[in-house]
Amino acid sequence: MRPSATSYLEALSDNIVVDPTKCIYCGACADTCILDNIRVQLAPCRQACPLHTNCQGYVQLIARGDDAKAMKVLGEALPFPGIVGHVCSHPCEDACSRREVDGQAVAIRDLKRYLAEAVPLPPVEVAPARPEKVAIVGAGPAGAMAAYQLAKQGFQVSLYDANSRPGGMLAVGVPEFRLPVAVLDGEMAILSQLGVQLQLGVRVGRDLPVAELVEKHDAVLLASGAHVSKRLGLAGEDLPGVYDGLGFLRAARGETKPFVGRRVVVIGGGNTAVDAAQTAHRLGAAEVSLVCLEQRQEMPAFAWEVQDALEEGIAVRNGWGPTGFLAEEGRLSQVQLRRCLSVFDRNQRFAPTFDDADRRAVPSDTVIVAIGQDVDLSYLDKLVPCAAGRLAADPVTQQCLDVPKVFAAGDALTGPKTVVEALASGREAAESIRRYLLGESLTYTRGYLGPYETEFPVDKSGAVARPRLEPDKVDAAARRMFAELQLGMSEAEARGEAGRCLSCGEAYGKFRTCWYCLPCEIECPEKALWVDIPYLLR
């Protein structure tokens, strides 16, 4: 719905006619309007996505039955739709206007996965090869996205990672039941197809000095992630039977699975803790408890993943914190807990308070400590400046301070974030590197929205309440194995769910300054726009 006129020009008749059954909200009309007349209202889902993915466009195309074109729209922002369709935190759904109609967002992430399973990505157009060499340290989401963007633009890219396969935390820290290896490997294969030189099994700093990378390349991106599990610092933490969260998940993805025993306690309230608890369940534990300081509504883990754990019989014990671990015959026997009264102070700083009189001991064969991750930057050998345990870089350009040819991205720069945020960080870093290598300004137009509007009323007058489609999950027996937990959508289900989209926002002539020059009409890829001009003039 268009906003009401706020000036004389806006009150004039609008001669820009857009067919909503054809428009894919790409913004080509607004970008080519010479007189700065056309505006595109950005749907709330698109605004919320760190990658600014055109969710509205591809969801509408699914509803129209054009999956191939929907994948083309999705692929413009996202070369890894299957990965993101499995593990994205979907902030787009939190912003979805459909929630105001029937309380449930459109299943945008699941529709993304549907596309990834239904149609392939279209061929990638690669620019002619260029001589500049770029080294990227870390093949996680940030590094992989940067490698994709730079290789697509013709740069010579070498991607270094200590693991045996690309993916970073996706390859070692996300369980198979949440992200199948076939999906990860299948989509990461695009990097080799674009000519990225994968240097796997190479630990930069140990096998290859950072100084050598900087010397031999025109630009270097540090995207080494946050792969160090935080420790509690409590007595008994080094006992046999006590694992750190990432180490446990890494071992569970290996050939030799870790022994968990009958009773498992996981300490932590985040996604790694939930993943570890569900993994222990699949490794044969009879009793799995997740213990965390936070109350249920305060837990940093995704609510839908906590619900999955509860469905599997995992007990979530909120408001408890560990004080130590006891052993019998040299091996873990129990974890000692005390009641947590609050986690944060009045300024929302982490400052837990406890009731020392309320304690309990929980018999345990295995304890998994999953209280967060830290960044390890020791491999830099002080070549690149750091601050507060992270890389020190310009917040806009992500260029490392005092080392112009070195850039930073992902968790090594920001601390632990979501997959989609890491992807966005990698894309921004790639853009900065491109500009740096071509001698362009690193800051020009950064943060400029362009001819788009973010605040406008959404027309919900014709919306009818319809329940959200929730994809099926595997049965209880399969949840004792590492089979994929959630199933995908059928074509009919995807069409129906996409049909719930309200298609918020539109393209329109805002200032009525059209001179009938027609680039907007000519450049519209869908022939969805028509400039209404006098017959004789046309």
Side-chain angles (χ1 to χ4, degrees):
M1 179 182 292
R2 300 174 190 175
S4 58
T6 58
S7 69
Y8 172 75
L9 286 175
E10 292 179 61
L12 297 175
S13 62
D14 182 6
N15 64 325
I16 304 298
V17 182
V18 178
D19 185 345
T21 67
K22 293 181 179 180
C23 182
I24 60 172
Y25 317 98
C26 63
C29 54
D31 291 335
T32 56
C33 181
I34 296 172
L35 291 173
D36 194 31
N37 172 38
I38 299 178
R39 290 291 182 271
V40 175
Q41 298 165 335
L42 291 183
C45 53
R46 188 172 182 178
Q47 295 181 46
C49 177
L51 286 168
H52 304 298
T53 306
N54 184 4
C55 312
Q56 179 186 12
Y58 77 75
V59 170
Q60 282 296 301
L61 284 164
I62 293 173
R64 298 171 197 168
D66 196 339
D67 291 346
K69 191 172 290 181
M71 176 56 87
K72 182 179 179 181
V73 170
L74 175 58
E76 291 170 356
L78 183 61
F80 312 115
I83 293 172
V84 177
H86 279 78
V87 300
C88 188
S89 54
H90 51 70
C92 53
E93 295 185 21
D94 292 334
C96 180
S97 299
R98 185 79 202 190
R99 293 163 62 100
E100 301 173 20
V101 176
D102 47 30
Q104 297 176 303
V106 174
I108 300 173
R109 185 185 73 176
D110 294 326
L111 289 170
K112 190 181 285 99
R113 173 179 167 178
Y114 162 75
L115 280 181
E117 295 174 346
V119 293
L121 276 167
V124 180
E125 294 184 12
V126 181
R130 299 188 56 86
E132 296 89 352
K133 298 180 179 180
V134 181
I136 299 176
V137 180
M145 175 63 100
Y148 170 84
Q149 297 291 340
L150 291 166
K152 190 171 68 168
Q153 295 171 81
F155 296 103
Q156 299 182 45
V157 180
S158 296
L159 183 58
Y160 296 84
D161 199 279
N163 296 319
S164 60
R165 58 162 39 100
M169 193 67 75
L170 298 173
V172 299
V174 178
E176 171 83 3
F177 61 83
R178 213 174 295 289
L179 177 62
V181 170
V183 174
L184 175 65
D185 289 352
E187 295 203 335
M188 285 291 164
I190 194 172
L191 300 178
S192 296
Q193 295 166 13
L194 293 180
V196 175
Q197 298 298 310
L198 296 177
Q199 306 293 335
L200 301 176
V202 177
R203 187 176 294 278
V204 173
R206 182 194 67 188
D207 304 324
L208 181 64
V210 174
E212 185 176 329
L213 280 183
V214 174
E215 179 183 352
K216 293 184 177 180
H217 294 82
D218 299 293
V220 174
L221 174 62
L222 303 176
S224 48
H227 290 261
V228 179
S229 290
K230 291 183 177 180
R231 290 175 59 86
L232 290 164
L234 297 176
E237 195 168 358
D238 294 320
L239 283 170
V242 180
Y243 293 88
D244 70 271
L246 293 182
F248 177 78
L249 291 173
R250 181 188 292 269
R253 293 205 69 153
E255 292 294 329
T256 303
K257 308 296 184 186
F259 172 78
V260 295
R262 182 175 180 276
R263 300 163 300 186
V264 176
V265 174
V266 180
I267 298 172
N271 294 314
T272 299
V274 175
D275 284 346
Q278 291 183 265
T279 297
H281 176 73
R282 283 157 175 78
L283 290 175
E287 300 175 12
V288 182
S289 299
L290 189 150
V291 175
C292 63
L293 301 176
E294 300 89 352
Q295 296 301 315
R296 182 71 55 83
Q297 67 275 13
E298 298 173 324
M299 292 176 67
F302 300 142
W304 57 92
E305 293 190 2
V306 175
Q307 183 59 38
D308 286 340
L310 292 171
E311 290 172 3
E312 293 173 10
I314 294 167
V316 178
R317 306 189 187 284
N318 299 101
W320 292 93
T323 60
F325 308 94
L326 297 182
E328 289 182 6
E329 299 180 355
R331 184 174 177 84
L332 173 76
S333 63
Q334 63 179 242
V335 57
Q336 297 175 308
L337 307 174
R338 60 176 171 172
R339 173 69 69 181
C340 180
L341 301 177
S342 66
V343 181
F344 305 100
D345 64 16
R346 66 180 61 183
N347 295 315
Q348 290 303 300
R349 293 174 298 195
F350 182 74
T353 60
F354 299 92
D355 180 358
D356 287 325
D358 191 355
R359 294 173 178 262
R360 66 172 57 175
V362 180
S364 313
D365 299 304
T366 298
V367 168
I368 304 164
V369 180
I371 58 171
Q373 291 83 247
D374 275 331
V375 177
D376 179 11
L377 300 175
S378 60
Y379 71 95
L380 295 175
D381 197 24
K382 300 182 180 180
L383 181 68
V384 179
C386 304
R390 301 172 190 170
L391 291 165
D394 183 278
V396 174
T397 67
Q398 299 175 214
Q399 185 178 40
C400 288
L401 304 181
D402 304 326
V403 193
K405 70 190 303 187
V406 179
F407 296 78
D411 291 356
L413 173 64
T414 63
K417 296 283 188 179
T418 64
V419 171
V420 70
E421 287 172 310
L423 290 168
S425 177
R427 189 173 68 180
E428 286 300 310
E431 173 61 13
S432 290
I433 291 171
R434 182 195 70 80
R435 295 185 184 201
Y436 171 79
L437 294 176
L438 299 183
E440 300 176 3
S441 168
L442 268 62
T443 57
Y444 181 66
T445 71
R446 296 303 262 280
Y448 171 60
L449 182 63
Y452 300 93
E453 295 181 345
T454 58
E455 295 185 9
F456 54 91
V458 175
D459 184 6
K460 298 185 283 289
S461 59
V464 178
R466 291 168 51 189
R468 170 185 168 118
L469 186 141
E470 297 291 351
D472 291 333
K473 297 176 184 177
V474 295
D475 60 23
R479 291 188 181 203
R480 278 294 190 176
M481 300 178 287
F482 285 86
E484 188 172 1
L485 175 58
Q486 181 175 297
L487 305 179
M489 287 183 176
S490 68
E491 179 179 339
E493 290 171 334
R495 298 274 182 268
E497 182 60 21
R500 295 179 64 241
C501 175
L502 300 179
S503 195
C504 311
E506 63 178 347
Y508 72 104
K510 182 178 179 69
F511 298 114
R512 318 303 199 250
T513 53
C514 179
W515 278 12
Y516 317 124
C517 55
L518 301 184
C520 57
E521 183 177 312
I522 294 169
E523 295 299 326
C524 176
E526 303 304 310
K527 307 304 178 188
L529 184 147
W530 169 268
V531 180
D532 189 13
I533 59 179
Y535 172 75
L536 292 178
L537 182 58
R538 178 174 284 274

